[in-house]
Amino acid sequence: MNITRVSRFVLCAVSLLVALAAASPCPAQDLVVARVESLDGLLADVEAIGTAIGQPVSKDMLLGMAGGFFGADPSSFLAMDRPVAAVLPVEGMMMPKTGVVVAVPVTNIEAALDALATRFPNHTVNGEVHTFSPDEGPSLYLTTGDGYVRVGGMADLVKRIDPLANGPTGSTTSVEMFLEPVAPMIIASLGTMKAQMMSGMEQAAESESEVPYDPAAMEPIFDAYIDGFRWLVNNTSSIRVRLDVEDESFRFAKDLVPRSDSELAGFINAQKGGLPKIAKLANQSAAWYMAGQIKLTDEHRQGLT
């Protein structure tokens, strides 16, 4: 079987899925949330990781690079000991470069505004929103309050979205993607994804491949994967990635958070001892674990054999 050819079909299908998911956003829901517990902690983690991989970088070096961008020492207006957070709401995902809202802690708001003015020559104020416009390119919108500046590329989102609303995650750095807001769109696109994959398989079967494809034999396998993916999306609330650096140790964790009323949540809650008990039953050296149930119909079994 030509793996490269199959990979292209899969990539095409996944790209189509993402495009369809982005076509019909739902209002006022978060899609991706990133949080850093403090700028000092983030810089310390970058230093530790850089040293571990043989590419040392210092806090002063990073602040110097930021100072070069702003034309001022950022430590003179940034609150280095408070959280930083960024949110991409569902309604902003059509424009990921401008739809993100970032909350940055500051000790001196006026100094922060002056620093931005050195990079964006056109500064206007309309009510609570500051607009910084370059000579060319998109504008930057900003609001201030509670010791923070909230910055983004869409004025309406900057006024309404609070990136800090989700609270701490218990890790130095975390990124969480919420599937529930886009789950209906993903599920609806699975049929189109399968059609694209089958079309590619049929074209491959008609080509001069050394090992011809048999779409009829492959279809039950695709159905099994799609059914499993549909179940996973229907049962998942969010996927969270967390990073912690302690001394010379790095801890990288990936969490799949089930929906509260899902089959997966019911399975986990039914286990004596809960999720920690399940984790202890797994091989601790394994690359990944899965808790749940795999269900195959007779049709799937026949296709797989």
Side-chain angles (χ1 to χ4, degrees):
M1 182 179 292
N2 190 322
I3 300 299
T4 301
R5 189 184 299 273
V6 173
S7 298
R8 288 174 181 168
F9 299 147
V10 173
L11 179 62
C12 177
V14 171
S15 299
L16 176 65
L17 177 123
V18 172
L20 289 173
S24 306
C26 305
Q29 298 183 72
D30 295 339
L31 181 63
V32 180
V33 177
R35 183 182 176 100
V36 175
E37 285 312 305
S38 74
L39 289 171
D40 274 334
L42 175 63
L43 295 179
D45 288 356
V46 172
E47 281 186 297
I49 294 172
T51 300
I53 64 175
Q55 299 290 334
V57 58
S58 68
K59 174 180 177 180
D60 290 340
M61 182 188 302
L62 294 171
L63 289 175
M65 294 170 60
F69 175 83
F70 286 113
D73 180 5
S75 62
S76 65
F77 57 83
L78 292 177
M80 304 295 291
D81 59 347
R82 301 214 310 271
V84 180
V87 169
L88 174 62
V90 174
E91 57 196 296
M93 70 182 178
M94 290 286 289
M95 295 167 286
K97 290 185 178 180
T98 57
V100 176
V101 180
V102 184
V104 182
V106 294
T107 56
N108 188 327
I109 290 176
E110 291 303 321
L113 295 176
D114 290 342
L116 284 171
T118 65
R119 297 296 300 177
F120 298 87
N122 305 310
H123 176 202
T124 60
V125 182
N126 183 8
E128 63 180 310
V129 179
H130 295 257
T131 302
F132 293 88
S133 303
D135 292 330
E136 295 182 2
S139 297
L140 191 69
Y141 302 95
L142 179 150
T143 62
T144 64
D146 301 323
Y148 276 85
V149 294
R150 291 172 174 81
V151 185
M154 299 174 68
D156 179 57
L157 294 182
V158 170
K159 287 193 295 183
R160 293 191 293 108
I161 300 294
D162 180 10
L164 296 163
N166 289 282
T169 62
S171 292
T172 306
T173 303
S174 63
V175 178
E176 186 166 12
M177 178 176 181
F178 296 87
L179 293 186
E180 289 188 72
V182 292
M185 292 175 282
I186 296 175
I187 297 300
S189 68
L190 290 177
T192 303
M193 181 178 71
K194 177 186 172 182
Q196 290 286 335
M197 295 175 73
M198 291 301 300
S199 175
M201 295 292 290
E202 291 168 358
Q203 292 177 22
E206 297 171 359
S207 69
E208 298 180 356
S209 301
E210 294 181 4
V211 182
Y213 294 96
D214 183 354
M218 294 297 295
E219 186 171 8
I221 299 177
F222 284 156
D223 285 339
Y225 276 108
I226 289 173
D227 286 347
F229 184 67
R230 182 185 294 112
W231 184 91
L232 183 65
V233 171
N234 280 329
N235 280 264
T236 301
S237 173
S238 66
I239 300 171
R240 183 187 301 145
V241 177
R242 297 178 288 114
L243 173 67
D244 289 295
V245 180
E246 297 179 5
D247 299 325
E248 297 181 356
S249 300
F250 308 149
R251 182 166 63 89
F252 183 79
K254 294 173 287 183
D255 307 326
L256 187 150
V257 181
R259 294 192 189 193
S260 59
D261 58 348
S262 67
E263 283 187 68
L264 181 57
F267 170 81
I268 293 173
N269 293 333
Q271 308 310 304
K272 187 176 181 180
L275 193 56
K277 180 70 172 180
I278 297 174
K280 290 178 181 178
L281 296 175
N283 180 357
Q284 297 302 304
S285 63
W288 58 282
Y289 318 125
M290 181 178 70
Q293 300 176 10
I294 298 177
K295 298 179 181 178
L296 295 177
T297 65
D298 291 338
E299 182 182 358
H300 289 155
R301 290 191 185 93
Q302 184 177 1
L304 293 172
T305 56

